[in-house]
Amino acid sequence: MKLLSRAFASALTLALATPSLLTAAGNDWPRFLGPTGAAIVTESKVPLKWSDTENLLWKADMPGPGASSPIVLGDKVFITCWTGYGDKPGADDMRQLVRHLLCLNRADGKLLWDAKVPSAAAEDPFKGFITEHGYATHTPVTDGERVYVFFGKSGALAFDLQGKQLWQTSCGTSSGQRRWGSAASPIVHGNLLIVNANDESQTIFGLDKTTGKIVWKAEGDFGMAYGTPNILKRDGVDDLVIAVPQELWGMNPDTGKLRWYATHGLTGNVSPCLVPGGGDTVYVFGGFPATRSTAIKIGGKGDLGPKAILWDSSSSSYVPTPILKDGHLYVINDQGFALCIDARTGKDVYRERATMGSRGGGKPFYASPVLIGDKLICVSRRNGAFVLAAKPTYELLATNEFASDTTHFNGTPAISGDLLILRSNKAVYCVGMK
């Protein structure tokens, strides 16, 4: 067990009931991977085809690049990006690094406000792997009253809906051994903002979302755990669940104390979020140098033991988080293969080459798929978006791209009503039926 036992600050008791994994197509997409962290809506009239000239309702240029995903609250779209360092040729002074939280009008993409946050600490240099995603990789989250962001070594921040900064709390300024930066997105649970600051301090924080004060912190030997945690309800109890290399942790979200853990075979680093299976099963993907996937029966107390591992497979995804639908797991992975895995057995149902790689090099997919009814939308980094049928037989329904934009599309799209909102390193796009 890696998590260190220690005395924590007194916990808040307000609980948040986890909604169903299936979500109707409302306007709000308040966090990474949507309302429940499953990236699923039951229905929406998002079109199957789009381009620069077809079903593009608006485009909003951004001041700089970013790999975070858009979120939506009512008539507002929130997205982060960065400027000043590494965003263009000649920008080589780290002291000029600024993060931006942008608020756009959902109806037409008009910029409503731009909250600028100067870097509060020296960052990992813009070289090597960090050039693949940059300094605005964490997706914001909203509780309907405020918008919260995590900017790595510059900490967690809260803003009101008019763009006024309310607080800023450091979550550490260290770096992992590889200096890759971090990517996990914050989530809201009751009166807490929960932040996975693995790279910055090997700590998960529970912050008072009103004041930014630290309510609890769980420190331990995380290794490289880049995934966003989730809240899962089991037997009427909320568990804060996160996958780290070689272990899955179930924690009390109100105190940060470990309730249970399971040992698994994913080594190196874990980037995808866990996939909730409903009931007492979760699916974990990732690992390095070899990627793997596993199904784990959760719950209980302490070490769940080897019986908790329901299956283990070499079919996996390095960054994108798969979708679970009707007993099957779907994803296009970092090697460009579209996978369908039987969620009961872990066996491949199909494995089809979707793309030969990303134009310009690098892994072809960072974005996770989103599911609309029976259709999967999988946004690649530089080869457009692939629309697949969510069924156990491979069927490519459409491939769409904005030919005028040759930058990376690293963020997972948001679904808001009948709109699909995507981001690249250059712009935010809103797709819908004209």
Side-chain angles (χ1 to χ4, degrees):
M1 179 180 63
K2 299 177 182 177
L3 194 62
L4 301 181
S5 60
R6 55 168 293 160
F8 297 115
S10 60
L12 299 173
T13 57
L14 183 61
L16 176 67
T18 303
S20 167
L21 296 181
L22 297 179
T23 304
N27 284 348
D28 292 350
W29 190 266
R31 53 155 287 179
F32 183 54
L33 302 184
T36 66
I40 294 173
V41 297
T42 52
E43 59 182 77
S44 175
K45 296 178 182 177
V46 170
L48 285 181
K49 296 290 294 180
W50 62 84
S51 67
D52 290 305
T53 58
E54 183 180 6
N55 291 322
L56 177 60
L57 300 184
W58 54 258
K59 171 187 174 183
D61 288 332
M62 293 184 294
S68 62
S69 302
I71 65 169
V72 183
L73 175 67
D75 59 358
K76 295 178 174 65
V77 177
F78 300 97
I79 190 72
T80 64
C81 61
W82 94 89
T83 58
Y85 172 63
D87 59 315
K88 56 187 176 183
D92 54 6
D93 185 353
M94 187 185 296
R95 295 171 298 177
Q96 303 303 313
L97 176 64
V98 174
R99 270 87 162 200
H100 301 251
L101 172 62
L102 307 178
C103 178
L104 309 177
N105 187 348
R106 177 181 174 270
D108 57 13
K110 179 182 177 181
L111 178 65
L112 300 178
W113 48 261
D114 176 358
K116 301 178 179 67
V117 180
S119 183
E123 282 289 347
D124 299 307
F126 192 71
K127 62 182 181 180
F129 190 75
I130 204 168
T131 65
E132 293 290 291
H133 67 95
Y135 302 104
T137 307
H138 323 80
T139 297
V141 63
T142 180
D143 59 2
E145 297 179 357
R146 306 171 196 87
V147 181
Y148 308 91
V149 295
F150 179 46
F151 284 150
K153 295 174 181 52
S154 290
L157 301 92
F159 297 84
D160 67 19
L161 299 184
Q162 288 71 49
K164 178 184 177 182
Q165 183 178 315
L166 303 175
W167 54 258
Q168 182 173 5
T169 300
S170 175
C171 296
T173 58
S174 298
S175 296
Q177 60 181 354
R178 292 193 171 97
R179 308 206 75 172
W180 285 351
S182 64
S185 301
I187 62 171
V188 171
H189 170 76
N191 201 45
L192 293 175
L193 181 73
I194 296 174
V195 177
N196 171 16
N198 151 75
D199 206 65
E200 294 76 16
S201 60
Q202 291 282 286
T203 303
I204 300 175
F205 287 86
L207 306 178
D208 184 309
K209 69 178 188 179
T210 305
T211 66
K213 292 182 178 179
I214 297 172
V215 176
W216 58 258
K217 55 182 181 178
E219 299 169 310
D221 180 12
F222 286 39
M224 293 182 287
Y226 297 117
T228 298
N230 211 344
I231 303 290
L232 302 182
K233 184 174 287 293
R234 179 186 51 81
D235 298 330
V237 176
D238 290 331
D239 281 335
L240 173 64
V241 185
I242 183 170
V244 305
Q246 297 183 285
E247 290 186 355
L248 180 72
W249 294 344
M251 305 162 64
N252 183 333
D254 295 322
T255 66
K257 292 182 178 180
L258 188 69
R259 287 174 171 158
W260 53 261
Y261 67 97
T263 302
H264 59 69
L266 281 65
T267 59
N269 56 278
V270 178
S271 297
C273 303
L274 62 90
V275 182
D280 59 359
T281 303
V282 299
Y283 305 94
V284 183
F285 286 70
F288 184 83
T291 56
R292 302 198 66 80
S293 59
T294 186
I296 300 176
K297 184 177 180 180
I298 64 174
K301 294 182 179 181
D303 185 355
L304 302 186
K307 291 184 179 179
I309 304 300
L310 303 178
W311 54 256
D312 179 81
S313 170
S314 60
S315 289
S316 190
S317 167
Y318 183 61
V319 174
T321 299
I323 290 282
L324 175 65
K325 176 176 169 55
D326 297 336
H328 294 89
L329 293 152
Y330 297 93
V331 72
I332 301 183
N333 69 9
D334 61 295
Q335 297 173 326
F337 285 99
L339 300 178
C340 174
I341 299 171
D342 187 318
R344 185 180 61 84
T345 65
K347 303 295 185 183
D348 284 4
V349 177
Y350 69 67
R351 179 184 179 92
E352 298 285 345
R353 170 69 72 179
T355 178
M356 292 300 293
S358 180
R359 296 194 299 267
K363 294 184 180 298
F365 281 83
Y366 275 0
S368 299
V370 294
L371 176 67
I372 304 175
D374 58 358
K375 298 175 180 63
L376 293 158
I377 297 177
C378 308
V379 178
S380 76
R381 300 182 73 201
R382 296 190 66 173
N383 290 281
F386 295 73
V387 183
L388 305 180
K391 62 181 183 180
T393 303
Y394 178 72
E395 182 180 0
L396 177 63
L397 302 175
T399 303
N400 306 300
E401 67 176 342
F402 298 113
S404 63
D405 191 341
T406 59
T407 66
H408 283 166
F409 285 71
N410 289 329
T412 298
I415 304 165
S416 177
D418 295 329
L419 305 178
L420 184 75
I421 300 174
L422 308 93
R423 72 89 47 88
S424 69
N425 271 340
K426 176 182 178 182
V428 181
Y429 298 85
C430 180
V431 169
M433 298 293 293
K434 287 190 175 180

